[in-house]
Amino acid sequence: MAELRVCALYPDLMNIYADRGNLQLLQRRCEWRGIGFTLRGSGLGEPLDPDAHDLYYIGGGQDRDQALCAEDLATVKRDALHAAAVRGAVIFAVCGGYQLLGHGYEVGGERLPGVGLVDLETVREDGPRLIGNVAIELDGRVLAGFENHGGRTRLGTSATPLGRVLKGHGNDGRSGFEGVRGGPRGNVVGTYLHGPLLPKNAWFADWLTASALGQDPGGLTPLDDALEDAAHAAARRAAGL
Ligand code: GLN
């Protein structure tokens, strides 16, 4: 039986706006399809096995929690995460976690190190926080969620955005781009969208699951998504789409 092996990084520190709900959704959809599911956490100081998981997840976090995690991510877990990305594991990070995927996060006169998986830099500017419902377009489909971040993320020349902003602010409120998709196998994904994101965008959860399992998303058993579709429609409406 196929099995999705998930590792949540810093589950106690990096979990705001119910980002843990993303994991619950992945678990449920695996169970409904008869796909095995295991979830492990990896906290500060704990080494990471690059071969033991198919999907590594980092939720959002406030600046003070990010500061605790950034150093650990860039030292204790760095090599394992890079090896996992090369192997084709999915690395999926939301907001505070997303900001740590790149080179660094400059905040309050300090520069938190990033794990260097993708070419991006985040700076906390003086301007207002970028808050509100948001919708982005990727591959002709819509992701809808909620954003609340002070950091502005700029993608480097070798980074590809996850999507194009339809409503809301996105990476920096200016570029029209949201999130990142990159890494050695295109399986490193970062986004500012909370909500949690996946219960509002089940199609995207399936894409992550299939990618992590090395399968085609179209090959996953179809589910009755009436509730999920309603949640998605509500999130789109909230964003004004
Ligand atoms: N602390 C970060 C910021 O404000 C991320 C916040 C979040 O994860 N929502 O930019």
Side-chain angles (χ1 to χ4, degrees), residues 3-9 36-42 47-57 79-81 83-85 87-90 212-213:
E3 184 184 11
L4 182 69
R5 303 166 304 163
V6 177
C7 181
L9 303 186
F37 183 90
T38 54
L39 175 62
R40 298 270 176 278
S42 183
L48 207 57
D49 181 344
D51 298 313
H53 308 286
D54 310 302
L55 193 154
Y56 295 80
Y57 173 69
D79 291 350
L81 273 181
R87 189 173 59 78
V90 168
L213 294 175

Side-chain angles (χ1 to χ4, degrees), residues 1-4 26-37 213 215 220-221 223:
M1 178 171 84
E3 184 184 11
L4 182 69
L26 290 172
Q27 176 166 10
R28 283 298 170 82
R29 291 179 81 75
C30 281
E31 287 169 0
W32 289 334
R33 291 187 161 115
I35 299 173
F37 183 90
L213 294 175
Q215 293 181 12
L220 294 176
T221 310
L223 298 173

Side-chain angles (χ1 to χ4, degrees), residues 75-108:
T75 53
V76 179
K77 297 184 179 44
R78 183 188 169 95
D79 291 350
L81 273 181
H82 279 259
V86 166
R87 189 173 59 78
V90 168
I91 296 167
F92 172 49
V94 174
C95 199
Y98 165 39
Q99 294 171 336
L100 300 181
L101 289 183
H103 305 301
Y105 176 27
E106 224 177 276
V107 53

Side-chain angles (χ1 to χ4, degrees), residues 49-139:
D49 181 344
D51 298 313
H53 308 286
D54 310 302
L55 193 154
Y56 295 80
Y57 173 69
I58 319 175
Q62 292 306 350
D63 294 345
R64 61 180 177 280
D65 295 325
Q66 281 175 277
L68 293 172
C69 299
E71 197 64 41
D72 187 76
L73 201 59
T75 53
V76 179
K77 297 184 179 44
R78 183 188 169 95
D79 291 350
L81 273 181
H82 279 259
V86 166
R87 189 173 59 78
V90 168
I91 296 167
F92 172 49
V94 174
C95 199
Y98 165 39
Q99 294 171 336
L100 300 181
L101 289 183
H103 305 301
Y105 176 27
E106 224 177 276
V107 53
E110 189 188 0
R111 189 167 189 278
L112 306 181
V115 72
L117 282 164
V118 277
D119 182 15
L120 62 83
E121 183 75 34
T122 301
V123 177
R124 178 69 165 253
E125 293 174 0
D126 286 338
R129 294 184 70 82
L130 304 179
I131 304 176
N133 293 297
V134 52
I136 69 171
E137 184 270 330
L138 60 142
D139 300 336

Side-chain angles (χ1 to χ4, degrees), residues 2 18 20 24 31 43 70 73 78 83 93 121-122 152 154 167 177 211:
R20 187 172 293 140
Q24 290 171 341
E31 287 169 0
L73 201 59
R78 183 188 169 95
E121 183 75 34
T122 301
R152 268 75 167 162
R154 306 274 157 70
K167 298 281 181 183
F177 293 128
S211 302

